[in-house]
Amino acid sequence: MKAPLPHPALAQRMQIKDCWALIRRLLFEARNTLVDFQWKLGMAVSSDTCRSLKYPYVAVMLKVADHSGQVKTKCFEMTIPQFQNFYRQFKEIAAVIETV
Amino acid sequence: MAAGELEGGKPLSGLLNALAQDTFHGYPGITEELLRSQLYPEVAPEEFRPFLAKMRGILKSIASADMDFNQLEAFLTAQTKKQGGITSDQAAVISKFWKSHKTKIRESLMNQSRWNSGLRGLSWRVDGKSQSRHSAQIHTPVAIIELELGKYGQESEFLCLEFDEVKVNQILKTLSEVEESISTLISQPN
């Protein structure tokens, strides 16, 4: 079976070896389905290493189910610019999936 | 030992750079002896040690308070006036250093204070419709998204997720709610 190529724009931006590493991961790594997406907007004010942090962040908690139905929780944080990139990428995905 | 040995200029600029790498960016192997031998070889170790401690303390104070340029000027002026403080040449070098490295140091401090995983990368592809000779079922398009997550100083973990079009649009709706919250927060006065 021929391995499908990644998204053309993505492939152009990557080195060939990175491209194949991504393909191997996408083809062979177990895929999960999203069960729940929870979020909160926080503001880091101060810490022991920095008295004046003052940055907002988006904290996300994902509940994902693997192929056996087992659910696990994954948490991560994004700065505002990272969130805006995350949102932009989802808009791109929506635009592409609509045309397929 | 001439007082001029510990003046500002190129060695101090290099020292501040190395201190930032060690203190904020987690670069390993930057020792006191390495710094002295590379940047201030004419200065005796017992004289270099307190000087290094003073510069590290000043840099940490500036970074911890996330000083703007007015605060920085006031702070450095005060340092030049106090006993055992800094010279005005050294103050000028420190000021120039903070102005050009502030953003990167702040980013490192933000990363250090985040104890959850951060989002390091996102890759995706969309698989198209397919049909089987033996089945009438047509598979709907699916988006495969790979999130690269990782805690500060630790290796990445990859999470691979599958979404159909309905799910993608549900997520988009949620993300628009997040964006609305961010806009509300930013528009509020401090």
mmCIF file of all heavy atoms in Angstrom, chain A residues 25-26 31-32 34 39 51-55 64 74 76-77 82-83 86-87 89-90 93-94 100, chain B residues 64 106 110 113-114 117 119 122 124 128-129 144 146 157 160-162 167 171 175-176 178-179 181:
data_model
loop_
_atom_site.group_PDB
_atom_site.id
_atom_site.type_symbol
_atom_site.label_atom_id
_atom_site.label_comp_id
_atom_site.label_asym_id
_atom_site.label_seq_id
_atom_site.Cartn_x
_atom_site.Cartn_y
_atom_site.Cartn_z
ATOM 1 N N ARG A 25 4.516 8.501 12.079
ATOM 2 C CA ARG A 25 3.768 8.717 13.322
ATOM 3 C C ARG A 25 2.264 8.716 13.055
ATOM 4 O O ARG A 25 1.505 8.096 13.786
ATOM 5 C CB ARG A 25 4.169 10.044 13.973
ATOM 6 C CG ARG A 25 5.501 10.014 14.684
ATOM 7 C CD ARG A 25 5.545 10.993 15.848
ATOM 8 N NE ARG A 25 5.268 12.347 15.450
ATOM 9 C CZ ARG A 25 6.199 13.224 15.075
ATOM 10 N NH1 ARG A 25 7.460 12.876 15.023
ATOM 11 N NH2 ARG A 25 5.881 14.457 14.755
ATOM 12 N N LEU A 26 1.843 9.395 11.999
ATOM 13 C CA LEU A 26 0.406 9.494 11.725
ATOM 14 C C LEU A 26 -0.192 8.162 11.324
ATOM 15 O O LEU A 26 -1.337 7.872 11.602
ATOM 16 C CB LEU A 26 0.144 10.542 10.639
ATOM 17 C CG LEU A 26 0.358 11.998 11.071
ATOM 18 C CD1 LEU A 26 0.150 12.926 9.882
ATOM 19 C CD2 LEU A 26 -0.570 12.394 12.197
ATOM 20 N N ARG A 31 -4.590 6.255 17.171
ATOM 21 C CA ARG A 31 -5.351 7.498 17.097
ATOM 22 C C ARG A 31 -6.425 7.484 18.156
ATOM 23 O O ARG A 31 -7.044 6.462 18.431
ATOM 24 C CB ARG A 31 -5.987 7.640 15.727
ATOM 25 C CG ARG A 31 -4.961 7.816 14.626
ATOM 26 C CD ARG A 31 -5.645 8.070 13.325
ATOM 27 N NE ARG A 31 -4.817 7.688 12.218
ATOM 28 C CZ ARG A 31 -5.264 7.530 10.980
ATOM 29 N NH1 ARG A 31 -6.533 7.708 10.722
ATOM 30 N NH2 ARG A 31 -4.439 7.202 10.004
ATOM 31 N N ASN A 32 -6.662 8.630 18.717
ATOM 32 C CA ASN A 32 -7.669 8.792 19.745
ATOM 33 C C ASN A 32 -8.798 9.649 19.215
ATOM 34 O O ASN A 32 -8.601 10.473 18.316
ATOM 35 C CB ASN A 32 -7.052 9.474 20.973
ATOM 36 C CG ASN A 32 -5.871 8.694 21.524
ATOM 37 O OD1 ASN A 32 -6.028 7.743 22.271
ATOM 38 N ND2 ASN A 32 -4.671 9.101 21.135
ATOM 39 N N LEU A 34 -11.734 12.482 20.384
ATOM 40 C CA LEU A 34 -11.947 13.460 21.446
ATOM 41 C C LEU A 34 -13.329 13.254 22.053
ATOM 42 O O LEU A 34 -14.331 13.234 21.350
ATOM 43 C CB LEU A 34 -11.830 14.868 20.870
ATOM 44 C CG LEU A 34 -11.838 16.001 21.909
ATOM 45 C CD1 LEU A 34 -10.587 15.948 22.765
ATOM 46 C CD2 LEU A 34 -11.916 17.351 21.204
ATOM 47 N N TRP A 39 -11.967 24.086 28.924
ATOM 48 C CA TRP A 39 -10.941 25.120 28.883
ATOM 49 C C TRP A 39 -11.161 26.136 30.002
ATOM 50 O O TRP A 39 -12.252 26.263 30.540
ATOM 51 C CB TRP A 39 -10.960 25.835 27.528
ATOM 52 C CG TRP A 39 -12.258 26.545 27.240
ATOM 53 C CD1 TRP A 39 -13.370 26.016 26.644
ATOM 54 C CD2 TRP A 39 -12.579 27.908 27.541
ATOM 55 N NE1 TRP A 39 -14.349 26.967 26.552
ATOM 56 C CE2 TRP A 39 -13.908 28.138 27.090
ATOM 57 C CE3 TRP A 39 -11.887 28.954 28.150
ATOM 58 C CZ2 TRP A 39 -14.545 29.373 27.222
ATOM 59 C CZ3 TRP A 39 -12.526 30.187 28.290
ATOM 60 C CH2 TRP A 39 -13.839 30.380 27.831
ATOM 61 N N ARG A 51 8.535 37.920 40.065
ATOM 62 C CA ARG A 51 7.489 38.594 40.837
ATOM 63 C C ARG A 51 6.445 39.229 39.941
ATOM 64 O O ARG A 51 5.309 39.459 40.362
ATOM 65 C CB ARG A 51 8.105 39.678 41.732
ATOM 66 C CG ARG A 51 8.927 39.134 42.870
ATOM 67 C CD ARG A 51 8.057 38.420 43.906
ATOM 68 N NE ARG A 51 8.867 37.932 45.025
ATOM 69 C CZ ARG A 51 9.385 36.705 45.087
ATOM 70 N NH1 ARG A 51 9.166 35.837 44.137
ATOM 71 N NH2 ARG A 51 10.127 36.349 46.126
ATOM 72 N N SER A 52 6.812 39.547 38.714
ATOM 73 C CA SER A 52 5.876 40.226 37.829
ATOM 74 C C SER A 52 5.705 39.425 36.549
ATOM 75 O O SER A 52 6.276 39.742 35.525
ATOM 76 C CB SER A 52 6.406 41.634 37.547
ATOM 77 O OG SER A 52 5.523 42.312 36.692
ATOM 78 N N LEU A 53 4.892 38.356 36.622
ATOM 79 C CA LEU A 53 4.672 37.510 35.443
ATOM 80 C C LEU A 53 3.676 38.165 34.501
ATOM 81 O O LEU A 53 3.960 38.411 33.353
ATOM 82 C CB LEU A 53 4.165 36.126 35.857
ATOM 83 C CG LEU A 53 5.203 35.092 36.234
ATOM 84 C CD1 LEU A 53 4.536 33.839 36.755
ATOM 85 C CD2 LEU A 53 6.090 34.748 35.048
ATOM 86 N N LYS A 54 2.494 38.414 35.027
ATOM 87 C CA LYS A 54 1.420 39.135 34.308
ATOM 88 C C LYS A 54 1.202 38.618 32.894
ATOM 89 O O LYS A 54 1.329 39.373 31.930
ATOM 90 C CB LYS A 54 1.742 40.641 34.230
ATOM 91 C CG LYS A 54 1.623 41.397 35.521
ATOM 92 C CD LYS A 54 1.920 42.882 35.307
ATOM 93 C CE LYS A 54 3.188 43.060 34.501
ATOM 94 N NZ LYS A 54 3.713 44.413 34.485
ATOM 95 N N TYR A 55 0.917 37.335 32.728
ATOM 96 C CA TYR A 55 0.542 36.900 31.385
ATOM 97 C C TYR A 55 -0.684 35.998 31.412
ATOM 98 O O TYR A 55 -0.801 35.138 32.259
ATOM 99 C CB TYR A 55 1.719 36.226 30.665
ATOM 100 C CG TYR A 55 2.071 34.836 31.140
ATOM 101 C CD1 TYR A 55 1.449 33.711 30.595
ATOM 102 C CD2 TYR A 55 3.045 34.644 32.107
ATOM 103 C CE1 TYR A 55 1.773 32.433 31.033
ATOM 104 C CE2 TYR A 55 3.375 33.369 32.544
ATOM 105 C CZ TYR A 55 2.738 32.273 32.007
ATOM 106 O OH TYR A 55 3.060 31.017 32.438
ATOM 107 N N VAL A 64 -9.784 12.001 26.004
ATOM 108 C CA VAL A 64 -9.648 11.280 24.732
ATOM 109 C C VAL A 64 -9.851 9.787 24.968
ATOM 110 O O VAL A 64 -9.460 9.254 26.004
ATOM 111 C CB VAL A 64 -8.275 11.548 24.074
ATOM 112 C CG1 VAL A 64 -8.090 13.027 23.786
ATOM 113 C CG2 VAL A 64 -7.132 11.060 24.914
ATOM 114 N N LYS A 74 -5.786 14.589 29.128
ATOM 115 C CA LYS A 74 -4.532 15.273 28.778
ATOM 116 C C LYS A 74 -4.725 16.761 29.027
ATOM 117 O O LYS A 74 -5.704 17.337 28.549
ATOM 118 C CB LYS A 74 -4.195 15.059 27.293
ATOM 119 C CG LYS A 74 -3.874 13.628 26.933
ATOM 120 C CD LYS A 74 -2.488 13.240 27.358
ATOM 121 C CE LYS A 74 -2.200 11.795 26.999
ATOM 122 N NZ LYS A 74 -0.949 11.311 27.588
ATOM 123 N N PHE A 76 -2.956 20.707 28.922
ATOM 124 C CA PHE A 76 -1.842 21.526 28.458
ATOM 125 C C PHE A 76 -2.237 22.993 28.498
ATOM 126 O O PHE A 76 -3.403 23.333 28.661
ATOM 127 C CB PHE A 76 -1.363 21.117 27.056
ATOM 128 C CG PHE A 76 -2.379 21.278 25.957
ATOM 129 C CD1 PHE A 76 -2.426 22.443 25.201
ATOM 130 C CD2 PHE A 76 -3.272 20.257 25.655
ATOM 131 C CE1 PHE A 76 -3.354 22.592 24.176
ATOM 132 C CE2 PHE A 76 -4.201 20.392 24.636
ATOM 133 C CZ PHE A 76 -4.237 21.559 23.894
ATOM 134 N N GLU A 77 -1.242 23.855 28.358
ATOM 135 C CA GLU A 77 -1.472 25.298 28.386
ATOM 136 C C GLU A 77 -0.936 25.947 27.125
ATOM 137 O O GLU A 77 0.006 25.451 26.507
ATOM 138 C CB GLU A 77 -0.753 25.929 29.586
ATOM 139 C CG GLU A 77 -1.402 25.641 30.914
ATOM 140 C CD GLU A 77 -0.634 26.236 32.085
ATOM 141 O OE1 GLU A 77 0.172 27.161 31.874
ATOM 142 O OE2 GLU A 77 -0.857 25.761 33.203
ATOM 143 N N GLN A 82 -0.044 31.455 21.054
ATOM 144 C CA GLN A 82 -0.139 30.030 20.716
ATOM 145 C C GLN A 82 -1.594 29.637 20.488
ATOM 146 O O GLN A 82 -1.909 28.878 19.574
ATOM 147 C CB GLN A 82 0.448 29.164 21.840
ATOM 148 C CG GLN A 82 1.957 29.149 21.884
ATOM 149 C CD GLN A 82 2.497 28.395 23.083
ATOM 150 O OE1 GLN A 82 1.810 28.213 24.096
ATOM 151 N NE2 GLN A 82 3.735 27.967 22.994
ATOM 152 N N PHE A 83 -2.498 30.158 21.333
ATOM 153 C CA PHE A 83 -3.920 29.842 21.157
ATOM 154 C C PHE A 83 -4.414 30.375 19.812
ATOM 155 O O PHE A 83 -5.155 29.702 19.095
ATOM 156 C CB PHE A 83 -4.771 30.446 22.292
ATOM 157 C CG PHE A 83 -6.227 30.417 21.953
ATOM 158 C CD1 PHE A 83 -6.950 29.235 22.035
ATOM 159 C CD2 PHE A 83 -6.870 31.543 21.459
ATOM 160 C CE1 PHE A 83 -8.283 29.179 21.648
ATOM 161 C CE2 PHE A 83 -8.201 31.499 21.078
ATOM 162 C CZ PHE A 83 -8.916 30.310 21.172
ATOM 163 N N PHE A 86 -3.396 28.093 17.188
ATOM 164 C CA PHE A 86 -4.195 26.869 17.341
ATOM 165 C C PHE A 86 -5.572 27.066 16.688
ATOM 166 O O PHE A 86 -6.028 26.243 15.893
ATOM 167 C CB PHE A 86 -4.340 26.592 18.842
ATOM 168 C CG PHE A 86 -5.004 25.292 19.204
ATOM 169 C CD1 PHE A 86 -4.285 24.100 19.174
ATOM 170 C CD2 PHE A 86 -6.319 25.260 19.640
ATOM 171 C CE1 PHE A 86 -4.880 22.895 19.546
ATOM 172 C CE2 PHE A 86 -6.914 24.062 20.001
ATOM 173 C CZ PHE A 86 -6.205 22.884 19.964
ATOM 174 N N TYR A 87 -6.200 28.187 16.987
ATOM 175 C CA TYR A 87 -7.524 28.518 16.448
ATOM 176 C C TYR A 87 -7.465 28.672 14.935
ATOM 177 O O TYR A 87 -8.285 28.136 14.193
ATOM 178 C CB TYR A 87 -8.005 29.821 17.108
ATOM 179 C CG TYR A 87 -9.444 30.217 16.848
ATOM 180 C CD1 TYR A 87 -10.381 29.313 16.372
ATOM 181 C CD2 TYR A 87 -9.876 31.523 17.106
ATOM 182 C CE1 TYR A 87 -11.694 29.697 16.143
ATOM 183 C CE2 TYR A 87 -11.183 31.908 16.897
ATOM 184 C CZ TYR A 87 -12.089 30.996 16.411
ATOM 185 O OH TYR A 87 -13.391 31.375 16.195
ATOM 186 N N GLN A 89 -5.338 27.334 12.865
ATOM 187 C CA GLN A 89 -5.109 26.024 12.239
ATOM 188 C C GLN A 89 -6.424 25.239 12.157
ATOM 189 O O GLN A 89 -6.692 24.573 11.156
ATOM 190 C CB GLN A 89 -4.066 25.220 13.025
ATOM 191 C CG GLN A 89 -2.721 25.908 13.090
ATOM 192 C CD GLN A 89 -1.641 25.150 12.347
ATOM 193 O OE1 GLN A 89 -1.880 24.528 11.306
ATOM 194 N NE2 GLN A 89 -0.439 25.159 12.888
ATOM 195 N N PHE A 90 -7.254 25.317 13.214
ATOM 196 C CA PHE A 90 -8.542 24.622 13.188
ATOM 197 C C PHE A 90 -9.459 25.210 12.112
ATOM 198 O O PHE A 90 -10.218 24.487 11.470
ATOM 199 C CB PHE A 90 -9.223 24.663 14.560
ATOM 200 C CG PHE A 90 -9.027 23.392 15.339
ATOM 201 C CD1 PHE A 90 -7.918 23.234 16.154
ATOM 202 C CD2 PHE A 90 -9.909 22.322 15.220
ATOM 203 C CE1 PHE A 90 -7.699 22.051 16.845
ATOM 204 C CE2 PHE A 90 -9.702 21.139 15.910
ATOM 205 C CZ PHE A 90 -8.597 21.000 16.721
ATOM 206 N N ILE A 93 -8.320 23.697 8.942
ATOM 207 C CA ILE A 93 -8.780 22.299 8.847
ATOM 208 C C ILE A 93 -10.247 22.271 8.432
ATOM 209 O O ILE A 93 -10.648 21.496 7.551
ATOM 210 C CB ILE A 93 -8.593 21.569 10.201
ATOM 211 C CG1 ILE A 93 -7.107 21.406 10.525
ATOM 212 C CG2 ILE A 93 -9.285 20.208 10.183
ATOM 213 C CD1 ILE A 93 -6.819 20.995 11.963
ATOM 214 N N ALA A 94 -11.057 23.134 9.058
ATOM 215 C CA ALA A 94 -12.487 23.178 8.744
ATOM 216 C C ALA A 94 -12.708 23.546 7.281
ATOM 217 O O ALA A 94 -13.559 22.974 6.601
ATOM 218 C CB ALA A 94 -13.192 24.173 9.664
ATOM 219 N N VAL A 100 -13.506 18.479 0.900
ATOM 220 C CA VAL A 100 -13.105 17.112 0.521
ATOM 221 C C VAL A 100 -14.332 16.250 0.233
ATOM 222 O O VAL A 100 -15.295 16.307 0.981
ATOM 223 C CB VAL A 100 -12.240 16.473 1.637
ATOM 224 C CG1 VAL A 100 -12.026 14.995 1.386
ATOM 225 C CG2 VAL A 100 -10.912 17.202 1.737
ATOM 226 N N SER B 64 12.889 39.860 37.254
ATOM 227 C CA SER B 64 11.784 39.506 38.148
ATOM 228 C C SER B 64 10.705 40.586 38.172
ATOM 229 O O SER B 64 9.518 40.293 38.257
ATOM 230 C CB SER B 64 12.329 39.269 39.562
ATOM 231 O OG SER B 64 11.302 38.847 40.416
ATOM 232 N N ARG B 106 11.924 37.023 29.190
ATOM 233 C CA ARG B 106 10.551 36.958 29.699
ATOM 234 C C ARG B 106 9.869 35.671 29.234
ATOM 235 O O ARG B 106 9.181 35.011 29.990
ATOM 236 C CB ARG B 106 9.784 38.182 29.220
ATOM 237 C CG ARG B 106 8.406 38.228 29.749
ATOM 238 C CD ARG B 106 7.802 39.594 29.730
ATOM 239 N NE ARG B 106 6.373 39.481 29.950
ATOM 240 C CZ ARG B 106 5.824 39.177 31.121
ATOM 241 N NH1 ARG B 106 6.577 38.990 32.180
ATOM 242 N NH2 ARG B 106 4.523 39.076 31.243
ATOM 243 N N MET B 110 8.337 32.742 31.596
ATOM 244 C CA MET B 110 6.964 32.246 31.448
ATOM 245 C C MET B 110 6.973 30.728 31.305
ATOM 246 O O MET B 110 6.180 30.031 31.912
ATOM 247 C CB MET B 110 6.307 32.885 30.215
ATOM 248 C CG MET B 110 5.845 34.319 30.465
ATOM 249 S SD MET B 110 5.584 35.276 28.968
ATOM 250 C CE MET B 110 4.299 34.368 28.140
ATOM 251 N N SER B 113 7.625 28.956 34.582
ATOM 252 C CA SER B 113 6.550 29.022 35.579
ATOM 253 C C SER B 113 5.355 28.160 35.172
ATOM 254 O O SER B 113 4.392 28.042 35.923
ATOM 255 C CB SER B 113 6.102 30.466 35.783
ATOM 256 O OG SER B 113 5.394 30.902 34.642
ATOM 257 N N ARG B 114 5.389 27.582 33.980
ATOM 258 C CA ARG B 114 4.288 26.729 33.549
ATOM 259 C C ARG B 114 4.589 25.298 33.935
ATOM 260 O O ARG B 114 5.547 24.710 33.454
ATOM 261 C CB ARG B 114 4.103 26.860 32.030
ATOM 262 C CG ARG B 114 2.846 26.178 31.520
ATOM 263 C CD ARG B 114 2.858 26.008 30.027
ATOM 264 N NE ARG B 114 3.975 25.200 29.617
ATOM 265 C CZ ARG B 114 4.840 25.545 28.670
ATOM 266 N NH1 ARG B 114 4.718 26.668 28.030
ATOM 267 N NH2 ARG B 114 5.842 24.752 28.376
ATOM 268 N N SER B 117 1.949 20.735 30.803
ATOM 269 C CA SER B 117 2.573 20.652 29.477
ATOM 270 C C SER B 117 2.204 21.886 28.676
ATOM 271 O O SER B 117 1.136 22.455 28.855
ATOM 272 C CB SER B 117 2.059 19.417 28.738
ATOM 273 O OG SER B 117 2.493 18.252 29.366
ATOM 274 N N LEU B 119 1.946 23.516 24.623
ATOM 275 C CA LEU B 119 1.736 23.048 23.255
ATOM 276 C C LEU B 119 2.953 23.442 22.431
ATOM 277 O O LEU B 119 3.176 24.612 22.185
ATOM 278 C CB LEU B 119 0.459 23.670 22.673
ATOM 279 C CG LEU B 119 0.118 23.252 21.243
ATOM 280 C CD1 LEU B 119 -0.229 21.780 21.182
ATOM 281 C CD2 LEU B 119 -1.037 24.085 20.708
ATOM 282 N N LEU B 122 1.752 21.588 16.342
ATOM 283 C CA LEU B 122 0.500 21.004 15.862
ATOM 284 C C LEU B 122 0.683 20.684 14.389
ATOM 285 O O LEU B 122 1.074 21.548 13.608
ATOM 286 C CB LEU B 122 -0.641 22.009 16.054
ATOM 287 C CG LEU B 122 -2.087 21.562 15.809
ATOM 288 C CD1 LEU B 122 -3.043 22.516 16.486
ATOM 289 C CD2 LEU B 122 -2.432 21.519 14.332
ATOM 290 N N TRP B 124 -1.290 18.477 11.020
ATOM 291 C CA TRP B 124 -2.568 17.848 10.660
ATOM 292 C C TRP B 124 -2.602 17.455 9.201
ATOM 293 O O TRP B 124 -1.820 17.932 8.383
ATOM 294 C CB TRP B 124 -3.739 18.789 10.976
ATOM 295 C CG TRP B 124 -3.700 20.119 10.276
ATOM 296 C CD1 TRP B 124 -3.107 21.256 10.735
ATOM 297 C CD2 TRP B 124 -4.255 20.456 9.003
ATOM 298 N NE1 TRP B 124 -3.280 22.268 9.837
ATOM 299 C CE2 TRP B 124 -3.977 21.825 8.767
ATOM 300 C CE3 TRP B 124 -4.975 19.743 8.052
ATOM 301 C CZ2 TRP B 124 -4.387 22.484 7.620
ATOM 302 C CZ3 TRP B 124 -5.389 20.400 6.898
ATOM 303 C CH2 TRP B 124 -5.086 21.761 6.694
ATOM 304 N N GLY B 128 -9.416 11.928 2.679
ATOM 305 C CA GLY B 128 -10.615 12.125 1.866
ATOM 306 C C GLY B 128 -11.614 10.996 1.965
ATOM 307 O O GLY B 128 -11.449 10.029 2.711
ATOM 308 N N LYS B 129 -12.693 11.097 1.169
ATOM 309 C CA LYS B 129 -13.740 10.073 1.121
ATOM 310 C C LYS B 129 -13.140 8.803 0.527
ATOM 311 O O LYS B 129 -12.278 8.852 -0.327
ATOM 312 C CB LYS B 129 -14.880 10.535 0.230
ATOM 313 C CG LYS B 129 -15.703 11.669 0.813
ATOM 314 C CD LYS B 129 -16.958 11.877 -0.030
ATOM 315 C CE LYS B 129 -17.881 12.873 0.609
ATOM 316 N NZ LYS B 129 -17.484 14.256 0.331
ATOM 317 N N ILE B 144 -6.907 14.337 10.852
ATOM 318 C CA ILE B 144 -6.015 13.706 11.827
ATOM 319 C C ILE B 144 -5.068 14.792 12.322
ATOM 320 O O ILE B 144 -4.362 15.424 11.523
ATOM 321 C CB ILE B 144 -5.234 12.550 11.184
ATOM 322 C CG1 ILE B 144 -6.223 11.510 10.672
ATOM 323 C CG2 ILE B 144 -4.300 11.894 12.202
ATOM 324 C CD1 ILE B 144 -5.756 10.776 9.466
ATOM 325 N N GLU B 146 -2.118 15.977 15.096
ATOM 326 C CA GLU B 146 -1.117 15.524 16.052
ATOM 327 C C GLU B 146 -0.663 16.719 16.878
ATOM 328 O O GLU B 146 -0.189 17.720 16.342
ATOM 329 C CB GLU B 146 0.081 14.922 15.317
ATOM 330 C CG GLU B 146 1.129 14.380 16.276
ATOM 331 C CD GLU B 146 2.392 13.974 15.567
ATOM 332 O OE1 GLU B 146 3.105 14.870 15.067
ATOM 333 O OE2 GLU B 146 2.672 12.772 15.511
ATOM 334 N N GLU B 157 5.717 14.743 24.125
ATOM 335 C CA GLU B 157 4.795 13.609 24.033
ATOM 336 C C GLU B 157 3.860 13.947 22.871
ATOM 337 O O GLU B 157 3.466 15.106 22.699
ATOM 338 C CB GLU B 157 3.996 13.537 25.339
ATOM 339 C CG GLU B 157 2.935 12.478 25.380
ATOM 340 C CD GLU B 157 1.914 12.749 26.487
ATOM 341 O OE1 GLU B 157 2.156 13.632 27.338
ATOM 342 O OE2 GLU B 157 0.866 12.074 26.484
ATOM 343 N N CYS B 160 -2.253 11.920 19.129
ATOM 344 C CA CYS B 160 -2.846 11.872 17.793
ATOM 345 C C CYS B 160 -4.360 11.761 17.930
ATOM 346 O O CYS B 160 -4.866 10.857 18.596
ATOM 347 C CB CYS B 160 -2.276 10.662 17.050
ATOM 348 S SG CYS B 160 -2.539 10.743 15.291
ATOM 349 N N LEU B 161 -5.091 12.680 17.307
ATOM 350 C CA LEU B 161 -6.543 12.721 17.438
ATOM 351 C C LEU B 161 -7.213 12.687 16.083
ATOM 352 O O LEU B 161 -6.705 13.251 15.118
ATOM 353 C CB LEU B 161 -6.975 14.010 18.151
ATOM 354 C CG LEU B 161 -6.463 14.202 19.581
ATOM 355 C CD1 LEU B 161 -6.706 15.627 20.043
ATOM 356 C CD2 LEU B 161 -7.171 13.231 20.517
ATOM 357 N N GLU B 162 -8.380 12.045 16.043
ATOM 358 C CA GLU B 162 -9.148 11.955 14.807
ATOM 359 C C GLU B 162 -10.449 12.724 14.976
ATOM 360 O O GLU B 162 -11.131 12.586 15.991
ATOM 361 C CB GLU B 162 -9.483 10.481 14.553
ATOM 362 C CG GLU B 162 -9.376 10.050 13.128
ATOM 363 C CD GLU B 162 -9.545 8.560 12.960
ATOM 364 O OE1 GLU B 162 -10.693 8.080 13.012
ATOM 365 O OE2 GLU B 162 -8.517 7.882 12.776
ATOM 366 N N LYS B 167 -17.223 17.147 14.415
ATOM 367 C CA LYS B 167 -16.394 17.401 15.594
ATOM 368 C C LYS B 167 -15.515 18.634 15.402
ATOM 369 O O LYS B 167 -15.331 19.423 16.325
ATOM 370 C CB LYS B 167 -15.514 16.172 15.844
ATOM 371 C CG LYS B 167 -15.021 16.045 17.263
ATOM 372 C CD LYS B 167 -16.133 15.580 18.169
ATOM 373 C CE LYS B 167 -15.652 15.403 19.591
ATOM 374 N NZ LYS B 167 -16.625 14.705 20.419
ATOM 375 N N ILE B 171 -15.487 21.933 17.841
ATOM 376 C CA ILE B 171 -14.268 22.489 18.449
ATOM 377 C C ILE B 171 -14.133 23.956 18.068
ATOM 378 O O ILE B 171 -13.804 24.802 18.909
ATOM 379 C CB ILE B 171 -13.007 21.699 18.014
ATOM 380 C CG1 ILE B 171 -13.119 20.245 18.439
ATOM 381 C CG2 ILE B 171 -11.731 22.332 18.566
ATOM 382 C CD1 ILE B 171 -13.139 20.014 19.931
ATOM 383 N N LEU B 175 -13.662 27.110 20.480
ATOM 384 C CA LEU B 175 -12.513 28.004 20.382
ATOM 385 C C LEU B 175 -12.949 29.454 20.200
ATOM 386 O O LEU B 175 -12.293 30.379 20.677
ATOM 387 C CB LEU B 175 -11.575 27.565 19.245
ATOM 388 C CG LEU B 175 -10.913 26.188 19.426
ATOM 389 C CD1 LEU B 175 -10.022 25.842 18.236
ATOM 390 C CD2 LEU B 175 -10.092 26.127 20.708
ATOM 391 N N SER B 176 -14.093 29.657 19.535
ATOM 392 C CA SER B 176 -14.574 31.034 19.372
ATOM 393 C C SER B 176 -15.032 31.593 20.724
ATOM 394 O O SER B 176 -14.908 32.790 20.991
ATOM 395 C CB SER B 176 -15.679 31.119 18.327
ATOM 396 O OG SER B 176 -16.874 30.602 18.845
ATOM 397 N N VAL B 178 -13.599 30.781 23.538
ATOM 398 C CA VAL B 178 -12.334 31.107 24.209
ATOM 399 C C VAL B 178 -11.857 32.473 23.748
ATOM 400 O O VAL B 178 -11.468 33.329 24.551
ATOM 401 C CB VAL B 178 -11.242 30.049 23.922
ATOM 402 C CG1 VAL B 178 -9.930 30.425 24.613
ATOM 403 C CG2 VAL B 178 -11.671 28.675 24.371
ATOM 404 N N GLU B 179 -11.935 32.696 22.434
ATOM 405 C CA GLU B 179 -11.452 33.959 21.876
ATOM 406 C C GLU B 179 -12.271 35.132 22.419
ATOM 407 O O GLU B 179 -11.720 36.195 22.704
ATOM 408 C CB GLU B 179 -11.521 33.939 20.349
ATOM 409 C CG GLU B 179 -10.783 35.133 19.771
ATOM 410 C CD GLU B 179 -10.735 35.114 18.260
ATOM 411 O OE1 GLU B 179 -11.825 35.140 17.642
ATOM 412 O OE2 GLU B 179 -9.629 35.101 17.713
ATOM 413 N N SER B 181 -13.691 35.270 25.331
ATOM 414 C CA SER B 181 -13.225 35.487 26.706
ATOM 415 C C SER B 181 -11.930 36.271 26.730
ATOM 416 O O SER B 181 -11.740 37.154 27.571
ATOM 417 C CB SER B 181 -12.951 34.148 27.404
ATOM 418 O OG SER B 181 -14.104 33.684 28.016
#
